[in-house]
Amino acid sequence: MTESSNGLTTAGHRAQVRKAATASVVGTAIEWYDFFLYNTAAAVVFAEVFFPKSTPYAGTLAAFATNAVGFAARPVGAAIFGHWGDRIGRKATLIVTLLTMGVASALIGVLPGTDSIGIAAPIILVVLRVLQGIAVGGEWSGSVLLSMEWGDQRRRGLMASWPQAGVPIGLILGTGAMSLLAATTGDTFKDWGWRVPFLASLVLVAVGLWVRLKVLETPMFARVLERGQVARLPVVEVLRRHPKEVVLSALLRVSEQMPFYLYTTFAITYVTQQLGLSRTVALSAVTCAAAVELVAIPFFGHLSDRVGRRLVYATGAALLAVVAFPYFVLLNTGVVLVVFLTIMITQIQHAMEYGPQASLIAESFPTSLRYGGAGLGYQLASIIAGGPAPLIATWLLHDYGWQAIAIFMIVGAVVGFAAVLALPDRSRIDISQPSAYKTT
């Protein structure tokens, strides 16, 4: 058997590539399962449990506000874990992010409501949501790099899209679990049914740890360690040397992340409160939409290896502007089948961006600064796009109607389209060489 450059046999290297991809998908799916559980619970039950004296409108705003806190914490997690991910490695850092998320989610599952412990309940809820945000903020870039830096460099778009597929898996598991409990526990859903999926997180985390412990450090970062090229303060260094890439990475996500949380979180509230359809219908539609993305994300990641990241991503951003008004027109029919199909089909637009997005952002930074740089760029969007989106949409709907939300989506499309055109496309460049980044 031949030996690869990292000391493994060819067969051993291939086995590590498979393990890295599996560990990335499984770990990311678990992290997003926990994160999306909160999103879904905020849309369907947290207003009643933690803000029982508020009006439905005020309670929804308050629940989405606690949800947004988790998004604000994500760049903090990207900075903290980005530092260590570029100092000690991808694998060790990812173990810590997974444990942090699992513990925070389980504690949410046992947190008493406001009727039991008063104002302490929503305060503790916010603290635990912050911990979730920090964990997922450090998770994304590490899981992407674990897969991308181990894989075939001619297929970086596809390899980096596998952990992206953890998002719809997490959404399917999280929303599916909530949907199942909502349908089976009936009136007791508010009392204890919603807590079960949060407690189940501990079991999933144990599985994720078992998978991740089997993976070696990526060859690209191992070479950085061998050559003594590790930065002393990676996050500071990446902000000093690559501020343009960090900012553009955040801005290009506006056309992807903002509509995603409208499609998956705000849509649940819209379908139930505005259209009067059941909670089960709304949750089931979002779960089916996630299944569509599970196929579409790796497809568009693979396509970006063939035609380039920028072309695929820009097409997806432009498509958001096209679907914005038809999306609400179709939802407003109130016909269950039409609502289902609308929520499912619009996820294809999101997948066109989300599939190539991981490699597009990660390729913008050199190996020694990639964990922190990609993480910061990716997670900063959470403050300006994902976190505020359901909150802004709720306000726009209440004060101006659904047309204002459609315009909001079009503005996001323009921002994302412009940003991706300004970011260099390194789809076919050897990113293991520092010389690839000297012109930036």
Side-chain angles (χ1 to χ4, degrees):
M1 264 182 207
T2 59
E3 189 175 275
S4 63
S5 59
N6 53 24
L8 296 172
T9 64
T10 301
H13 182 88
R14 289 174 180 169
Q16 279 296 313
V17 171
R18 290 192 295 269
K19 288 178 181 178
T22 301
S24 294
V25 173
V26 171
T28 305
I30 294 168
E31 291 262 1
W32 285 113
Y33 163 82
D34 290 326
F35 200 75
F36 288 142
L37 269 183
Y38 193 105
N39 294 350
T40 306
V44 301
V45 74
F46 277 0
E48 299 176 66
V49 176
F50 296 103
F51 307 100
K53 295 182 180 179
S54 302
T55 64
Y57 171 59
T60 299
L61 281 177
F64 281 153
T66 66
N67 182 43
V69 168
F71 287 85
R74 283 166 63 171
V76 177
I80 294 171
F81 291 111
H83 171 83
W84 294 110
D86 282 329
R87 289 282 298 170
I88 64 175
R90 296 25 173 153
K91 175 183 173 178
T93 306
L94 287 171
I95 299 294
V96 179
T97 63
L98 192 58
L99 284 171
T100 303
M101 176 63 87
V103 171
S105 297
L107 290 175
I108 290 174
V110 298
L111 179 63
T114 299
D115 288 342
S116 299
I117 61 173
I119 191 65
I123 292 174
I124 296 172
L125 180 68
V126 169
V127 172
L128 294 175
R129 182 56 169 172
V130 167
L131 287 177
Q132 280 194 324
I134 289 173
V136 84
E139 164 72 21
W140 178 84
S141 55
S143 62
V144 165
L145 300 188
L146 193 66
S147 182
M148 189 181 85
E149 291 182 350
W150 261 112
D152 184 341
Q153 294 309 296
R154 294 168 299 180
R155 306 173 69 193
R156 292 196 301 259
L158 176 62
M159 292 303 297
S161 73
W162 287 123
Q164 298 286 78
V167 170
I169 294 173
L171 186 58
I172 290 170
L173 293 176
T175 309
M178 280 292 181
S179 180
L180 177 63
L181 269 297
T184 56
T185 59
D187 294 337
T188 61
F189 178 74
K190 186 186 80 170
D191 299 323
W192 62 268
W194 66 270
R195 299 179 181 275
V196 175
F198 282 96
L199 295 173
S201 172
L202 291 176
V203 177
L204 296 176
V205 166
V207 174
L209 289 174
W210 178 73
V211 173
R212 282 190 169 170
L213 287 171
K214 294 176 176 291
V215 185
L216 299 176
E217 186 55 74
T218 73
M220 281 192 191
F221 189 74
R223 284 194 291 271
V224 169
L225 289 173
E226 290 170 4
R227 296 167 182 168
Q229 296 172 338
V230 175
R232 190 170 65 88
L233 296 171
V235 172
V236 174
E237 188 70 11
V238 79
L239 290 175
R240 183 180 69 83
R241 291 172 51 190
H242 302 278
K244 170 187 170 184
E245 286 80 359
V246 171
V247 172
L248 289 177
S249 295
L251 292 177
L252 69 84
R253 293 204 65 216
V254 172
S255 61
E256 171 270 315
Q257 195 188 41
M258 178 264 284
F260 178 75
Y261 286 101
L262 296 183
Y263 295 158
T264 61
T265 302
F266 174 75
I268 296 173
T269 300
Y270 190 83
V271 168
T272 55
Q273 295 184 8
Q274 193 72 13
L275 305 182
L277 299 179
S278 72
R279 185 162 49 197
T280 301
V281 167
L283 292 172
S284 299
V286 171
T287 303
C288 291
V292 172
E293 277 217 298
L294 188 55
V295 176
I297 285 174
F299 170 77
F300 288 115
H302 169 68
L303 184 62
S304 75
D305 285 326
R306 303 294 296 273
V307 303
R309 321 277 185 242
R310 182 185 290 163
L311 177 60
V312 179
Y313 199 96
T315 303
L319 191 58
L320 172 62
V322 174
V323 305
F325 275 92
Y327 175 72
F328 283 100
V329 170
L330 292 170
L331 286 184
N332 289 340
T333 64
V335 178
V336 172
L337 179 60
V338 175
V339 169
F340 251 82
L341 291 175
T342 300
I343 292 176
M344 290 172 65
I345 292 172
T346 48
Q347 289 298 91
I348 296 175
Q349 175 274 317
H350 175 260
M352 290 184 72
E353 296 180 87
Y354 206 59
Q357 184 181 89
S359 49
L360 176 66
I361 293 176
E363 289 167 346
S364 298
F365 304 93
T367 306
S368 61
L369 305 176
R370 190 169 292 141
Y371 200 123
L376 280 175
Y378 184 90
Q379 302 299 353
L380 281 172
S382 301
I383 299 175
I384 59 175
L391 194 62
I392 292 172
T394 301
W395 165 66
L396 289 174
L397 179 65
H398 184 268
D399 287 8
Y400 302 103
W402 64 265
Q403 295 89 343
I405 305 175
I407 294 172
F408 176 49
M409 293 166 69
I410 292 172
V411 171
V414 172
V415 172
F417 187 85
V420 75
L421 292 184
L423 188 69
D425 188 341
R426 292 185 169 89
S427 304
R428 295 177 176 85
I429 292 177
D430 183 357
I431 61 171
S432 66
Q433 301 301 319
S435 58
Y437 300 91
K438 286 184 177 179
T439 58
T440 60

